[in-house]
Amino acid sequence: MASASASAPPDDSRTRAGSSRPAKLPSLTGLRFFAALLVFFFHSSLADSPIPPNAPINPFANDTLAHLYEKTFVSTGYMGVSFFFVLSGFVLAWSSRPGERLTSFWRRRVTKIFPNHLVVSAAVVVLFAGATLTGVSQWLPNLLLIHTFFPQPLVNLSLNPPSWSLGSELLFYLLFPLLIVPIRKIRGAALWFWAAVMVAGTVAVQLVSTHLVPATPKSAITPISDMQFWFGYLFPPGRLFEFVLGAILARIVLAGRWPRRFGIVPSLVLVAAGYAATFWVPFQYTFVTATLVPIGMLIAAVADSDARSRSTWLSKRPVVWLGEVSFGFYLVQGVTIFYLRTLLGDEPFGTPVALLVIALFFAVSLLAGWLLYQYVEMPAMRRFSRSRKPAATAPAVSLPARRPATNPGPATTPAPVLDAVPSPAAAPAAEKELT
C-alpha cells in the first residue's frame, strides 16, 4: 500500500517547507463564507419561518420578484450544507497526523461546536419567548445535538433550525477516528473508485427514501413527506457519504493525483451546472446528489491551488476573515433573519425597502457571527480545547515506539491514539472548518 505522502512527487508543495505537515489552505477558509452565504439567501427567501409564529420571511411585495427570489435560491441552502459536510471530511483528513489521543481530538471538536450552539439556542428561547419549545423531549435532544435522529419535525427542527446540521457534524467527529483508518489504507489507484462509491451512496439514500420510506402524510413545506425529508436530508448517517468523500478527496490531492485540468474555473462552471440541474431532477436529489460532484471538485481544486502555493483572491485576509466568522454567521440566521422579520411585521415591502431589509438581515447576521467568533468560539477554544494538565504528568501522545526484545521492563498498555489527527499545536489552520 502506498501512502498519500509516498504517492506525491518529491518536489510537491503540498507539505510545508522543512516539515512533513500538509500546507495550509487559506483559500478554503475564504470559500467557506460563500457556502454560508448561499444558506443566507435560502433562509431570507423563505415564504414562512420554520420557527413559531411561522411568519413570512421573503420581504418582497411584488409577487414576481418574491417568486423569483425564492425560486432562484430554493436549493442553495441544501448546496451550502453539503459543501460544509464535504469540507469537514476534507480538512480533517488533510490535517491528520499520527499522535493524538482520541479524547484530545474529541475535546477539541466538541469545544468547536457546543459553545456557539448553546449561546444561540439560549437567544432563541429568550427572543421567541419559549414558543419554540413544548417539553423536555423536544429541547433536550436539541441541546445534546441528537435531535436529527428523531423523525418528528417538532424535534429535529426545534429551537434554532440551522443547528440541525451540527447533529451530523457531531456524528462525523465521533466516527472520524474509526473512518480515517481504512481511508488511509486505500491504495492510490483505488481512491477514485471509492470516491465514486460515496457519490453512489447518496443516490442509494434517496432511492430508499423514495421507495421504502412512507410518502404520507405530505409535508406542509416540501413536496415529499416529513418522514422522507427527515430520512433523505436530516438523518445524520445518510450524510456520512459526503463527509467520507471529502476525506478521500483530501487523500487524492495529498497524493498528487488531482488532475490539473480540473482547476478552479472549470469546477465553478460545474457547480453552476450542478445547481441548474436541481431545477430538473426529482426534489430528493436536490439535497445532495445533483451538486455533490461539483462541490467536491471545487473543494479539491481550491485546496490543490493552495498546496501549490498559487495565491487566489479567496486567500486574501478580508475573505479569510469572512470564512473564519462564517460558522457563527451560519448559526445565528435562525435569530437574525427569522426573529428580525417578526419585528418588521407580516406585511411585505416595496422593492427598495425589501432590498434594504435583506441588507439588514445580512449586516446583523455578519455582526452576530463575528461576535460569536470573537467572544464565544475563540475564547472557548483557548480555554477548553486543550487539557490543562502539566505536560510532565500527561501520558505521551505519540505512537509508542517498538521496544527491543532485550529491553526489560513491565508491560504497559498505551493510551488510545488517534491514527491521523494532529495535536492542537500542530494542527494546520485548515482544520478550522465550518461545522
Side-chain angles (χ1 to χ4, degrees), residues 27-49:
S27 296
L28 270 188
T29 300
L31 189 60
R32 282 166 38 190
F33 173 75
F34 294 94
L37 190 62
L38 291 177
V39 180
F40 167 84
F41 285 122
F42 170 76
H43 283 154
S44 59
S45 68
L46 292 174
D48 292 293
S49 164

Side-chain angles (χ1 to χ4, degrees), residues 38 42 70-81 275 278-279 283 286-287 291:
L38 291 177
F42 170 76
E70 184 175 15
K71 186 68 174 176
T72 300
F73 298 105
V74 66
S75 296
T76 56
Y78 307 142
M79 190 176 186
V81 170
Y275 187 68
T278 63
F279 293 95
F283 178 71
T286 66
F287 297 155
T291 57

